[in-house]
Amino acid sequence: MMITNCSSPPPSQEGPQCPPESSSQVFAPAEHEVHQQDVIQETPLESVEDTLKSLHMHRNKYFKRLSSQWQSTFRGNIALSPTEKRHSAKSFRRRCKLLGDEQPLCVTTNNQRQRYVTKDGKCRVNLGHIKDKSRFISDIFTTLVDLKYLWFLLVFTACYILTWMSFGAIYFLDAWLRDDIAHAHDSQWQACFENVDSYLAALLLSLETQRTIGYGTRRVTANCPEGVVLLMVQSITGSIIDAVMVGCMFVKISRPQQRAQTLIFSKHCVICERDEKLCLLFRIGDLRESHMVDAKIRAKLIKSRQTKEGEFIPLEQTEINLGYDTGGDRLLLVEPQTIAHIINDSSPFWEVGAKRLKRETLEIIVILEGIVEASGMTCQARTSYTQDEILWGHRFASCISLEKGAFLVDCSAFDKTFEVEMSPLSARNRSHAKDEESIF
């Protein structure tokens, strides 16, 4: 069966480009095809077969690296429509970008990996294709609180205006049916709604009723029972709207998200030795004098990988131990703290050395949680570090000094690091080297 495989397209094209079909066509990067032609033209005929065999073996490695799902997708490109081909190529490029593949197979327009969490703590994850959106209506309070201020103020204003206009229309319709509008200036007429001769007057009556303004020129009389019922209904409706809208506004203003702006993280992570152990370090601090109560720190490693069975796991989360078993993750965040993760055999960085760190595609998510002392509400601050923001063989400079009667924190030295002499070997290779030294 003839198989045609497509390489990832350049930025100016929409889909994958496939060379002309042939009976011996296989999947290979363009640079290998050019190299193959040069070899055939410049070498004797006896060495052509050996060269082609080595190229075939090299190409088979690419097939083994692809999962069965992605292989079947590209094998079926012959029978796919142009739209399906473009979709397959885009999916393939996204997968290569997540894995951080540096091979020529994965040619993308942007070599930088998309952050999972930004430096200021915003999660870059968008939820799409949500069919059952009625869940948001059932939790209307949280939905309103989560709205942006512009949309929230729009909803806030629309709720009042719509109720005023709706009840104004009901008052005007009732006055028209009772013929109060035609006898608006007749002092002998027993009107249900006094001084209501137009919709604008009915709207003013609705506004005065719901806001309890009561200027005294328009009012509901006891000549009609439905007017009394409308007055009670509008009063109850207005109270409900006031409770919901004012409650949402209070919660939105008092949310502790802005408190996280004064919780700072170092710009870089560092990997260095501490007490003869390889450690991953980063620094956190609090700029306010009112401190966080019961502050806790935790971290996650975000990295995509492919299992031995060929299953692709995007953005897999791995826990980074910051002293959970010893209580080191509970902080007294009075001065800047340097958080340490000891790289041992249970650490995800056990086999990562200085050279491998440059080739890795990963992201470390740091989450700081605590209770705001002033309000008693829980606050959470987040940041992230990519592999480019992890410095191998560096150490944080001290930012605390002693002055008369207190300790002085130099915030200008919060992010400062200095380089130290350290072996580029991973923690695993260090452990093996020490074992060999102990044996000999």
Side-chain angles (χ1 to χ4, degrees):
M1 178 179 178
M2 182 174 61
I3 300 172
T4 302
N5 294 278
C6 304
S7 63
S8 186
S12 60
Q13 297 181 1
E14 297 181 357
Q17 290 183 343
C18 300
E21 299 179 359
S22 63
S23 59
S24 62
Q25 186 175 3
V26 293
F27 184 79
E31 57 180 344
H32 293 292
E33 294 178 358
V34 175
H35 179 68
Q36 178 181 348
Q37 293 176 3
D38 295 340
V39 171
I40 294 175
Q41 292 176 1
E42 297 179 3
T43 56
L45 294 176
E46 292 81 1
S47 61
V48 171
E49 293 184 0
D50 297 336
T51 305
L52 290 177
K53 288 181 180 179
S54 62
L55 288 174
H56 280 292
M57 294 176 62
H58 183 68
R59 292 163 182 165
N60 289 335
K61 294 180 180 179
Y62 290 107
F63 281 111
K64 294 179 180 179
R65 294 180 65 249
L66 298 176
S67 63
S68 58
Q69 177 184 359
W70 292 86
Q71 283 182 353
S72 60
T73 301
F74 279 89
R75 286 173 181 173
N77 276 348
I78 299 176
L80 292 177
S81 63
T83 304
E84 293 174 337
K85 289 181 180 180
R86 287 195 296 269
H87 177 72
S88 300
K90 290 179 181 178
S91 302
F92 181 67
R93 291 197 300 271
R94 285 196 294 266
R95 174 179 178 273
C96 294
K97 189 174 182 180
L98 283 171
L99 282 173
D101 202 337
E102 298 179 358
Q103 299 295 333
L105 291 173
C106 303
V107 181
T108 59
T109 58
N110 186 10
N111 293 327
Q112 186 177 4
R113 182 184 181 274
Q114 173 65 49
R115 279 186 179 271
Y116 188 77
V117 175
T118 59
K119 294 295 287 184
D120 56 355
K122 296 180 180 178
C123 297
R124 302 301 298 269
V125 178
N126 298 324
L127 301 178
H129 304 290
I130 300 177
K131 296 181 180 180
D132 189 10
K133 295 184 179 181
S134 60
R135 298 175 180 268
F136 297 98
I137 304 299
S138 60
D139 188 15
I140 188 64
F141 186 84
T142 307
T143 302
L144 291 175
V145 172
D146 288 339
L147 288 176
K148 295 182 179 180
Y149 272 101
L150 181 61
W151 291 104
F152 179 78
L153 293 176
L154 180 62
V155 173
F156 185 91
T157 305
C159 286
Y160 285 104
I161 292 178
L162 289 177
T163 52
W164 295 338
M165 295 180 66
S166 300
F167 280 97
I170 296 174
Y171 289 143
F172 178 75
L173 179 61
D174 195 7
W176 179 73
L177 293 175
R178 282 186 162 274
D179 209 17
D180 290 345
I181 297 177
H183 299 81
H185 302 287
D186 188 359
S187 60
Q188 303 297 327
W189 179 261
Q190 294 182 353
C192 179
F193 305 98
E194 289 187 356
N195 296 324
V196 175
D197 56 354
S198 62
Y199 175 74
L200 185 58
L203 180 60
L204 289 174
L205 175 62
S206 174
L207 177 60
E208 294 173 10
T209 301
Q210 186 167 335
R211 303 311 305 162
T212 64
I213 296 175
Y215 291 111
T217 56
R218 281 166 294 273
R219 65 189 182 92
V220 180
T221 64
N223 296 324
C224 56
E226 67 273 13
V228 179
V229 173
L230 285 174
L231 186 62
M232 292 188 295
V233 171
Q234 187 173 9
S235 299
I236 296 173
T237 303
S239 299
I240 294 175
I241 293 176
D242 289 341
V244 174
M245 291 293 105
V246 174
C248 290
M249 179 64 75
F250 174 77
V251 172
K252 193 170 184 65
I253 293 175
S254 62
R255 293 179 79 179
Q257 291 180 345
Q258 300 303 322
R259 178 64 175 89
Q261 302 299 323
T262 53
L263 298 172
I264 55 177
F265 299 86
S266 59
K267 294 181 180 179
H268 296 89
C269 279
V270 299
I271 295 180
C272 62
E273 292 180 345
R274 176 178 280 191
D275 296 331
E276 298 182 351
K277 295 180 181 179
L278 198 62
C279 298
L280 173 72
L281 307 176
F282 60 91
R283 182 175 281 176
I284 60 175
D286 190 0
L287 299 179
R288 288 191 178 274
E289 294 184 358
S290 59
H291 305 295
M292 299 285 293
V293 179
D294 193 21
K296 301 176 184 177
I297 189 73
R298 54 194 177 96
K300 294 279 188 180
L301 175 65
I302 308 296
K303 183 180 178 181
S304 303
R305 71 180 182 93
Q306 191 169 5
T307 63
K308 297 179 180 180
E309 294 78 15
E311 179 187 3
F312 175 60
I313 305 177
L315 305 177
E316 185 182 37
Q317 299 185 10
T318 305
E319 186 72 23
I320 299 177
N321 189 2
L322 299 180
Y324 176 79
D325 49 350
T326 60
D329 59 334
R330 296 179 179 269
L331 308 175
L332 178 61
L333 199 59
V334 178
E335 81 284 351
Q337 298 283 329
T338 302
I339 310 301
H341 163 65
I342 301 176
I343 302 178
N344 50 27
D345 55 356
S346 61
S347 171
F349 300 98
W350 174 244
E351 299 179 356
V352 177
K355 294 182 180 179
R356 181 175 173 179
L357 181 62
K358 297 179 180 179
R359 301 192 306 266
E360 288 286 341
T361 302
L362 54 87
E363 185 173 353
I364 300 174
I365 310 299
V366 179
I367 304 171
L368 175 62
E369 294 178 335
I371 300 174
V372 181
E373 187 178 26
S375 62
M377 303 182 70
T378 303
C379 174
Q380 184 182 95
R382 297 182 296 265
T383 192
S384 69
Y385 301 97
T386 60
Q387 70 278 359
D388 299 328
E389 296 168 342
I390 303 176
L391 305 179
W392 184 280
H394 283 69
R395 188 173 295 160
F396 283 108
S398 176
C399 61
I400 301 177
S401 60
L402 180 62
E403 65 175 9
K404 293 182 179 180
F407 294 94
L408 177 63
V409 177
D410 184 10
C411 295
S412 62
F414 182 81
D415 294 314
K416 288 185 179 180
T417 62
F418 59 93
E419 191 172 359
V420 295
E421 293 185 2
M422 196 178 70
S423 171
L425 296 178
S426 64
R428 178 183 179 182
N429 293 337
R430 289 165 179 262
S431 178
H432 290 172
K434 289 182 180 180
D435 294 340
E436 292 178 358
E437 290 179 0
S438 62
I439 293 175
F440 294 103

